[in-house]
Amino acid sequence: MSSRVIFQNGTVVSMVPGEEPRQANVLVIDGDIAKIGDFGDMEGEIIDATDCIVAPGFVDTHRHVWQTQLRGVTHDWSLKDYIRSIRLQSAVHYRPEDMYVGNYLGMLEAINAGVTTVLDFSHCINSPEHATEAIRGTRESGIRSIFALGLNEVPLNNPVFNTVEHRIDHAKGLRATEFPSDDALVTMGIALSDVHIAGIERVTSEVGISRELDIPMTFHANAVLFPDPVSEVDFLEEAGLLGPDLIWVHMNLSTDEELRRVIETGGAVSCTPETEMQMGMGHPVFGRLIEAGGHPGLGCDVISNNSGCLFSQMRLALQAERMVTNDKSLNTGCAPDTIWPTTEMALRAATIWGAEALGLDAKIGTLEVGKQADVIMIRGDDVNMLPVNKPVGSIVLHAHPGNVDTVMVAGRILKRNGQLLESRAQLRGKVRDSHDHLMSSIARSGGLIPQPPAPLPW
């Protein structure tokens, strides 16, 4: 028997260009959107969407999901603190079972906040088993995800796994066994090594294997850890590596010309405003990228620092850019006549632009007949939402995860009536055990505290 679900009588914010929010029903059959409009076909499970907003699920284009157990330890840290204490000291203490817990818990956090797709930049792969367990945690959560396998060397003396050859062989094996299909809910990507650390020769090898395997790549741009930042755009262009399968992260210190070259070669850019603004990575590139003709995606980045909530990222990206734009008028002695960017641009960044960045816009990102049913329903009659005068603005500037009533991924309901549908009784014990192991092991090594300023080891 086919599966039929109807979101009945909601305010549909489709994010299809030119379509205004409207009262409508949304029919989902076997995981796909079958009808949107005023129709009488009510056979199936009815979800009463009266006084609610029905919208596409949010798309997070950059998140290190494995760090969920380290939640909150970097609140007052700089990027250098983070690199020293998380990337160099803490990651080595992760066991495979910690990767499972981090990914399962982290993906549930995303689902709870209305995020239905995450690009997981998984750069704590201390062994093949670490990847296997992270993938298992992701799949069990029910979310849609690109698992971007980290090819970076880890600061762990593991001679049987810590060379570029070992990492590439592992990537080939995962593609053949775990990710043979690009139509699955969880698919494969590659998280490239940092160019300024690994060198262009290693990164060239990593790009080559990624293109041989026909999977997308993502990497951190702007080497702000050095007195003279390098230009990854120049490095990759000189090596002939620019292309539409690259998802650049941050790019705040890139020049307008570098942004233009990325856009012209089809590359995508992920903006993570909360960590960027805190950790000294420059002003978010959100507005400059739009002005250059690009479509920024948004990401929560490090859960060791901030929440996995794209509502926050939309607001920060939007209002930070408005402040800079307004300052241009204020510096001439006049208040601005208009406000830019718009709330619709922020919501596009969290939905269809994010889907475009991940190459998934034919499947998700808007509510359209024929697309897969990644759908969220936000209560508009909660006290912080009532009354909903402008649905798009209400989502961007008023809503929070507690207003997310229902979350559906590929037609499967994962959150209903404001509650996740998974059982959390066993999860609490696993999280506690993993957290206790990590905190004690990391503490013994002197980690999880900002270290005195010292040269980084490369």
Side-chain angles (χ1 to χ4, degrees):
M1 295 179 63
S2 65
S3 167
R4 296 169 63 91
V5 179
I6 302 100
F7 292 86
Q8 185 179 33
N9 194 37
T11 299
V12 175
V13 176
S14 70
M15 298 312 296
V16 175
E19 284 191 6
E20 295 294 323
R22 57 179 174 138
Q23 292 296 121
N25 303 322
V26 178
L27 172 63
V28 176
I29 300 179
D30 294 336
D32 294 332
I33 299 172
K35 290 183 184 178
I36 301 176
D38 183 10
F39 53 82
D41 183 2
M42 291 293 121
E43 180 183 348
E45 179 182 358
I46 304 295
I47 297 176
D48 185 5
T50 304
D51 296 324
C52 294
I53 302 169
V54 180
F58 297 148
V59 179
D60 185 315
T61 55
H62 182 73
R63 187 184 300 213
H64 303 296
V65 187
W66 63 270
Q67 293 179 21
T68 308
Q69 297 98 307
L70 304 181
R71 188 189 310 281
V73 302
T74 73
H75 285 166
D76 297 314
W77 289 12
S78 69
L79 179 61
K80 290 181 179 180
D81 292 331
Y82 165 81
I83 294 291
R84 294 185 186 103
S85 286
I86 302 295
R87 288 277 301 271
L88 297 180
Q89 291 180 301
S90 301
V92 299
H93 297 283
Y94 266 72
R95 306 163 300 176
E97 54 263 46
D98 301 315
M99 295 295 287
Y100 168 81
V101 170
N103 269 57
Y104 185 58
L105 176 63
M107 292 305 189
L108 291 181
E109 176 187 14
I111 293 165
N112 188 60
V115 176
T116 54
T117 301
V118 173
L119 185 146
D120 179 13
F121 194 118
S122 192
H123 59 352
C124 185
I125 307 300
N126 299 336
S127 73
E129 292 74 27
H130 283 68
T132 300
E133 287 301 289
I135 295 164
R136 183 168 74 93
T138 296
R139 285 180 172 152
E140 289 185 9
S141 76
I143 203 166
R144 187 185 302 275
S145 179
I146 294 178
F147 178 76
L149 175 73
L151 296 185
N152 57 296
E153 292 185 30
V154 293
L156 181 69
N157 186 18
N158 185 352
V160 299
F161 190 59
N162 215 20
T163 69
V164 65
E165 293 79 16
H166 295 140
R167 297 281 174 154
I168 285 178
D169 286 346
H170 179 225
K172 290 179 179 178
L174 280 182
R175 179 60 160 153
T177 58
E178 292 280 0
F179 300 108
S181 172
D182 294 329
D183 291 325
L185 202 60
V186 182
T187 57
M188 185 175 178
I190 289 292
L192 300 173
S193 297
D194 297 321
V195 176
H196 57 286
I197 297 173
I200 194 62
E201 290 186 6
R202 176 167 179 145
V203 172
T204 298
S205 298
E206 295 175 359
V207 172
I209 189 58
S210 301
R211 288 180 174 157
E212 178 184 323
L213 298 177
D214 193 24
I215 51 180
M217 295 162 278
T218 184
F219 69 107
H220 296 117
N222 294 149
V224 294
L225 301 176
F226 299 89
D228 298 311
V230 301
S231 170
E232 290 91 349
V233 176
D234 287 345
F235 274 130
L236 268 66
E237 185 172 52
E238 290 169 6
L241 301 179
L242 296 181
D245 49 4
L246 289 171
I247 303 161
W248 302 68
V249 184
H250 308 315
M251 294 208 81
N252 302 331
L253 302 181
S254 298
T255 66
D256 291 344
E257 172 60 21
E258 288 170 337
L259 295 179
R260 184 189 61 78
R261 280 184 278 164
V262 168
I263 294 168
E264 287 180 350
T265 55
V269 177
S270 176
C271 178
T272 68
E274 194 156 10
T275 52
E276 292 165 0
M277 293 167 74
Q278 172 183 322
M279 292 189 173
M281 289 185 271
H283 187 281
V285 76
F286 186 81
R288 284 202 299 132
L289 191 72
I290 296 173
E291 289 180 323
H295 290 166
L298 292 173
C300 293
D301 202 355
V302 289
I303 304 307
S304 55
N305 190 72
N306 46 262
S307 78
C309 164
L310 277 184
F311 293 108
S312 299
Q313 307 309 322
M314 282 190 281
R315 276 174 211 153
L316 285 167
L318 178 69
Q319 303 294 38
E321 194 59 47
R322 285 175 166 180
M323 179 182 68
V324 169
T325 302
N326 291 342
D327 281 347
K328 295 174 183 176
S329 294
L330 293 173
N331 289 338
T332 68
C334 290
D337 293 317
T338 58
I339 297 298
W340 186 91
T342 66
T343 52
E344 183 176 350
M345 289 175 178
L347 189 55
R348 287 194 178 282
T351 54
I352 183 58
W353 288 354
E356 289 174 4
L358 303 188
L360 296 174
D361 49 306
K363 295 181 180 180
I364 61 169
T366 59
L367 301 184
E368 295 182 73
V369 172
K371 283 197 172 184
Q372 294 189 14
D374 287 11
V375 184
I376 62 175
M377 189 173 84
I378 300 170
R379 290 191 298 269
D381 56 358
D382 284 347
V383 292
N384 62 301
M385 294 287 287
L386 193 68
V388 176
N389 291 305
K390 295 185 177 182
V392 170
S394 292
I395 294 172
V396 174
L397 294 178
H398 297 283
H400 57 66
N403 303 127
V404 178
D405 178 275
T406 303
V407 177
M408 171 184 281
V409 177
R412 179 186 173 195
I413 297 174
L414 302 178
K415 183 179 183 181
R416 185 75 185 269
N417 298 323
Q419 296 294 320
L420 291 169
L421 299 187
E422 87 355 300
S423 173
R424 275 168 278 182
Q426 195 173 25
L427 175 63
R428 289 190 186 96
K430 290 181 178 180
V431 173
R432 182 167 51 250
D433 291 345
S434 175
H435 176 263
D436 289 349
H437 157 73
L438 290 170
M439 291 300 108
S440 60
S441 297
I442 295 168
R444 285 194 297 269
S445 73
L448 284 187
I449 56 173
Q451 303 300 307
L456 290 165
W458 47 75

